[in-house]
Structures are given as C-alpha cells and as structure tokens.
Amino acid sequence: MSGSMRSMSIRKGDSVQVVTGKDKGKRGKVLRVDPKSRRVVVEGINRAKKHMRPSKANPQGGIVEIELGVDASNLMLVCPGCDTPTRVSRVRAGERSFLRKCKRCDTQF
Ligand SMILES: [Zn+2]
C-alpha cells in the first residue's frame, strides 16, 4: 500500500520547516491543508505574484502575493517541545483523532 492513503500529520496552525526546494530551511506556520492533493499552504513559503482583476472587494485590482502551497513531502513538522524539525509517531487520542509524538523529545502535540 502506498503512503499516500495515510491521513496527513500536518495540520493548520502547525509550525513546519521546508526540507527541499528553493525555500529549503525556511520555517512557517501552516495556513491551510488540502489532504486530497497533499498540498500545504505555509505562511511566507513559495509565494508568487498574482495579477488581480478589479473586484468589489478590491476595486483597483493590482498585484497581490499569494502562497501557492508545497507538497507535504517537502515539509517536516517542527516540534513545539524541542523546536526542531522532527519525524513523529502517532498516539491515539480518541476514536478518530491522534496526537503527534516527537521522536526526539517525546513531546505530544
Ligand atoms: Zn521534540
């Protein structure tokens, strides 16, 4: 079975570090997660300029910077306990939920 069917460990609000690509080494906060595509939108990571047509909300139109998101496999969770990018194991925390457990310091989050 491929790993892609597993539910993702990364959640909105997590701190993550980019481990490959042009933003390698940068950290940011997770803004959105799309479990289907396994793309994760991270604050300040993989930004691109986008031209906006004028709209009601933004009558001038213009250029805005948006985060395009990165593949979950390019990210590592940053443990809030040891402030280090780390692999995690899962600890059951209810019928359908689990906590992540840091493999370095055993912090559960
Ligand atoms: Zn840790």
Side-chain angles (χ1 to χ4, degrees):
M1 193 173 120
S2 90
S4 64
M5 292 304 290
R6 289 182 71 196
S7 64
M8 285 177 27
S9 292
I10 295 172
R11 295 168 183 165
K12 183 179 173 180
D14 280 338
S15 178
V16 292
Q17 183 161 321
V18 182
V19 294
T20 185
K22 71 178 165 79
D23 286 323
K24 184 175 176 179
K26 288 188 186 171
R27 283 189 192 187
K29 197 176 132 194
V30 174
L31 301 176
R32 283 195 307 281
V33 175
D34 179 5
K36 267 189 184 160
S37 66
R38 298 183 67 77
R39 282 190 84 77
V40 180
V41 177
V42 185
E43 199 169 48
I45 304 295
N46 197 17
R47 303 188 86 187
K49 289 191 167 72
K50 189 181 178 189
H51 295 263
M52 302 294 285
R53 289 167 184 275
S55 66
K56 268 187 190 157
N58 183 9
Q60 299 291 316
I63 298 169
V64 293
E65 281 205 58
I66 55 161
E67 281 96 354
L68 297 175
V70 295
D71 193 88
S73 63
N74 294 347
L75 299 170
M76 260 186 134
L77 271 169
V78 174
C79 167
C82 60
D83 195 39
T84 306
T86 183
R87 293 185 183 283
V88 294
S89 56
R90 291 164 184 234
V91 180
R92 243 203 145 93
E95 192 79 355
R96 284 192 182 81
S97 60
F98 60 89
L99 290 169
R100 289 79 49 91
K101 182 177 167 189
C102 174
K103 291 200 170 176
R104 289 171 180 262
C105 72
D106 288 345
T107 293
Q108 294 182 17
F109 59 104

